Amino acid sequence: MPEPRLPKYQWGQRVKAVTDLMNDGSFPDAPADGRLVGVGDTGEIVQVGRHTDANLPIYLVEFGEKLVVGCLEEEISPLQGN
């Protein structure tokens, strides 16, 4: 098992998507492989968890109203001023 990587972002932090975030099947009401979040869309981290197999931080980010998407560190970046 890989060594755990500590999260570099925190709960409540404002972030933006640095890549399009696509539906991996986690959102049954959205088209399969459809875009959920576009590059540059902003959101707030509402929970920080961990992928148990890969030992990587997973961030639940709320984009807009009622759209919470699990993100890897490579998929988001902090907004300026955070």
Side-chain angles (χ1 to χ4, degrees):
M1 179 179 282
E3 287 293 315
R5 187 164 79 188
L6 295 175
K8 64 181 189 180
Y9 306 128
Q10 304 300 319
W11 176 86
Q13 190 170 3
R14 300 277 303 157
V15 295
K16 66 179 175 181
V18 296
T19 184
D20 287 336
L21 302 175
M22 311 304 280
N23 185 8
D24 63 0
S26 300
F27 294 85
D29 294 336
D33 296 323
R35 186 175 72 155
L36 299 170
V37 176
V39 172
D41 289 352
T42 61
E44 181 178 325
I45 296 173
V46 294
Q47 187 172 351
V48 180
R50 177 160 304 283
H51 186 284
T52 53
D53 292 337
N55 248 342
L56 295 173
I58 300 290
Y59 302 91
L60 293 183
V61 180
E62 184 173 31
F63 292 97
E65 289 188 33
K66 300 180 183 177
L67 177 61
V68 179
V69 180
C71 300
L72 299 171
E73 286 179 354
E74 301 80 36
E75 297 173 324
I76 56 176
S77 72
L79 289 179
Q80 295 298 326
N82 280 350

